[in-house]
Amino acid sequence: MPYSAEATSPSSEGLQDSYPPPKPLENSELVEAGQSRRNGPQEGENAEVRDINGAGDSARANADERHKGPMEKFDGEDNSQSRNHSGAWDGTSSFTIVDRNSEVHLHHRRKETMTARNAAAEVEREVLISGRRPGHNWDHRVRWAPLNIPLKRRLQTGMVLFHTLCIALFLSTFFLLCSIPLFWPLLLPYLVYCLFSTASTSGTLSHRSSRLRSLPIWSLFASYFPARLHRSQELPPTRKYIFGYHPHGIISHGAFAAFATEALGFAQLFPGITNTLLTLDANFRLPLYRDYALAMGLASVSRESCENLLSRGGANGEGMGRAITIVVGGARESLDAQPGALRLVLAQRKGFIKLAIRTGADLVPVLAFGENELYKQVEPLAHPLIYRAQMALKRVLGFTVPLFHARGVFNYDVGLLPYRHPLHVVVGRPLKVLQDRTPEPAYVDAIHAEYVAELTRVWDEWKDEFAPRRAGELEITA
């Protein structure tokens, strides 16, 4: 163990003249001296101090007597402590051996004292009561979009805004034309035509425009999310099909991008098949908008329209190569469209199963991952009164109005535009159906069970890839 030596000069000058300067102690001698003092006097040793320089016993004893007082004052300890901690000295100078263990012990005691003081200060801080944090009420304000957004993203937002507000835009245009008397002779016959037209139910698709469906602007619409269309199996064009789209969501943007336009390449994935997206029959009574919808290839979801589409036209004139897409959940399912959840109103929906059996069309389940994440709406369980009012509106008018919101044109928190969330529309495997004009209930239930099983398979197979942040699993409700 290392030690340090300190030299002190005696106060008597006569003692300096009587004794020669001492020989410095080596490190080994200092250690030996310190150990001898700690262990007490050994056999053959002087109990006070060893003779280092070979001086006479009597001179050393006299010098010891004369310098005992100064040594005690220097060390600040009693005589026994001075002997234990002092090294060797002679008549000219004295040495004090300092134990490093004592210094380390003193350092730890100081450190513990500082720690105790810090702990006491922490206790005092916990008692402090702070006031209001300035600026906290601005943390959840509306987040505005920056001005340096690329032109492509602005065009994407513009196309989604047009599709979201197209009904309101066409109706506003119609009422604007009605305010101009010059157009009255044209508008009156047009209104009569809209009331009695059967273009949405005839199944002829005479107003369908392939050029309008293939415009590049729809690629901007689909890339806003972005949306992708995937197939599980090829579909031969020698059959007819009923695509069941799930979930409904708020506005079914995925269904429009995949089956009402060519933005996602439906004709490329399913060559030879003409698909028609179906919507409410009331939409074809709205002036101007009905013509736009017919040109996009949309048709009524009524039973008459479905049977005409699947029994007319096609390669053989009996519907071969035709397909229709039905959003099975309808308005009822739109009220359950919550982000992170997938609750399908399907347990009692068997009308499309009976339609497939009567027309001999194969059933193709379609699951859109991300459709429910495009909007946020009021939860039915948290606001039961609002939910009851929405259901009452559905019973009276046939549709309902979800209380939803998402983002705006120039902000990311408030508005009617959907969020930019990826959409993956996965087309499952077709289920072959035997045609029967009067389907048996047992056969309907069996086909329905197969349909639910295939839909569940699509979910289980692709949920980890397309819905990694889901909050729950697939639920089939009534």
Side-chain angles (χ1 to χ4, degrees):
M1 182 180 299
Y3 289 84
S4 63
E6 299 178 0
T8 58
S9 299
S11 59
S12 173
E13 297 180 357
L15 188 62
Q16 277 186 344
D17 298 334
S18 303
Y19 292 93
K23 178 183 179 182
L25 295 178
E26 299 293 336
N27 290 338
S28 59
E29 294 175 342
L30 294 177
V31 173
E32 181 178 352
Q35 289 178 350
S36 64
R37 295 302 175 267
R38 286 194 300 271
N39 298 331
Q42 303 295 327
E43 182 180 358
E45 287 186 346
N46 192 327
E48 294 291 333
V49 62
R50 289 193 305 168
D51 187 5
I52 303 300
N53 295 321
D57 294 339
S58 59
R60 289 184 62 259
N62 294 332
D64 187 26
E65 290 296 331
R66 284 195 298 268
H67 289 273
K68 185 179 297 183
M71 285 294 293
E72 291 177 353
K73 294 179 181 179
F74 180 80
D75 292 336
E77 298 176 350
D78 57 11
N79 193 29
S80 61
Q81 292 174 339
S82 176
R83 287 194 301 270
N84 289 338
H85 290 278
S86 62
W89 64 275
D90 55 12
T92 303
S93 60
S94 62
F95 291 84
T96 302
I97 308 304
V98 181
D99 193 347
R100 289 294 183 185
N101 282 341
S102 301
E103 294 182 356
V104 173
H105 179 68
L106 179 59
H107 173 72
H108 284 303
R109 292 197 61 182
R110 290 176 179 174
K111 187 174 181 181
E112 291 175 358
T113 303
M114 294 298 296
T115 304
R117 292 176 180 176
N118 293 337
E122 290 294 334
V123 172
E124 292 180 0
R125 290 195 193 98
E126 292 179 358
V127 180
L128 295 179
I129 300 176
S130 303
R132 179 185 304 172
R133 181 173 62 86
H136 74 282
N137 54 341
W138 288 90
D139 293 342
H140 303 288
R141 295 292 182 178
V142 175
R143 297 172 299 163
W144 296 97
L147 297 178
N148 57 344
I149 295 296
L151 177 61
K152 179 181 177 181
R153 292 178 69 88
R154 290 298 187 193
L155 294 176
Q156 293 172 347
T157 304
M159 283 306 305
V160 174
L161 178 64
F162 168 76
H163 175 68
T164 304
L165 303 177
C166 61
I167 294 180
L169 291 175
F170 282 112
L171 286 179
S172 299
T173 303
F174 175 76
F175 288 125
L176 178 62
L177 295 176
C178 289
S179 65
I180 304 175
L182 183 63
F183 293 99
W184 289 356
L186 299 177
L187 295 178
L188 184 59
Y190 175 73
L191 287 176
V192 176
Y193 167 76
C194 291
L195 292 175
F196 296 98
S197 173
T198 60
S200 61
T201 59
S202 63
T204 59
L205 301 178
S206 57
H207 293 70
R208 183 187 182 103
S209 173
S210 299
R211 179 176 298 180
L212 179 61
R213 290 168 53 92
S214 303
L215 288 178
I217 58 176
W218 300 121
S219 179
L220 290 172
F221 171 82
S223 60
Y224 170 88
F225 303 100
R228 295 293 302 273
L229 180 63
H230 313 272
R231 75 178 184 192
S232 299
Q233 184 176 322
E234 293 185 5
L235 301 181
T238 57
R239 302 283 298 176
K240 57 183 76 172
Y241 304 94
I242 296 179
F243 288 72
Y245 184 87
H246 309 272
H248 184 282
I250 301 295
I251 305 182
S252 302
H253 288 292
F256 181 84
F259 305 116
T261 72
E262 287 297 330
L264 303 186
F266 180 87
Q268 175 188 3
L269 293 177
F270 307 101
I273 298 177
T274 303
N275 199 335
T276 302
L277 180 62
L278 305 183
T279 184
L280 294 176
D281 187 70
N283 291 330
F284 298 96
R285 299 293 178 259
L286 302 177
L288 299 184
Y289 174 75
R290 64 175 299 278
D291 301 286
Y292 163 74
L294 290 172
M296 292 298 298
L298 274 66
S300 173
V301 75
S302 63
R303 176 177 174 178
E304 177 186 3
S305 173
C306 295
E307 291 181 349
N308 289 336
L309 286 169
L310 295 175
S311 59
R312 300 179 183 179
N316 60 351
E318 296 181 356
M320 291 300 175
R322 285 279 188 93
I324 61 175
T325 300
I326 303 175
V327 184
V328 178
R332 168 66 179 81
E333 191 174 87
S334 66
L335 299 179
D336 294 330
Q338 298 291 340
L342 187 58
R343 188 177 297 107
L344 305 182
V345 181
L346 184 59
Q348 302 298 327
R349 298 293 176 103
K350 300 179 181 180
F352 71 105
I353 303 291
K354 298 177 182 178
L355 175 65
I357 296 174
R358 286 196 301 266
T359 58
D362 295 344
L363 287 167
V364 183
V366 179
L367 191 59
F369 294 87
E371 185 72 58
N372 285 349
E373 278 70 31
L374 300 182
Y375 293 95
K376 295 179 181 179
Q377 68 165 322
V378 175
E379 296 185 8
L381 297 179
H383 302 83
L385 295 180
I386 297 178
Y387 180 73
R388 293 174 187 172
Q390 291 172 328
M391 292 302 297
L393 182 64
K394 178 184 178 301
R395 287 191 295 267
V396 175
L397 301 179
F399 64 91
T400 187
V401 180
L403 298 181
F404 65 92
H405 76 90
R407 55 160 294 177
V409 179
F410 301 107
N411 71 87
Y412 301 117
D413 299 289
V414 180
L416 300 180
L417 288 182
Y419 292 115
R420 288 181 179 267
H421 189 280
L423 276 175
H424 293 277
V425 183
V426 181
V427 180
R429 301 167 183 168
L431 305 176
K432 289 190 176 182
V433 176
L434 299 178
Q435 186 173 4
D436 188 355
R437 292 294 181 180
T438 57
E440 297 292 334
Y443 186 61
V444 172
D445 294 340
I447 297 298
H448 183 272
E450 293 182 17
Y451 183 89
V452 173
E454 174 60 19
L455 196 63
T456 304
R457 183 199 67 81
V458 173
W459 165 259
D460 292 336
E461 185 172 350
W462 300 106
K463 62 182 180 181
D464 292 334
E465 181 173 352
F466 297 146
R469 299 182 180 179
R470 62 189 182 277
E473 296 296 322
L474 173 64
E475 298 181 31
I476 307 295
T477 64

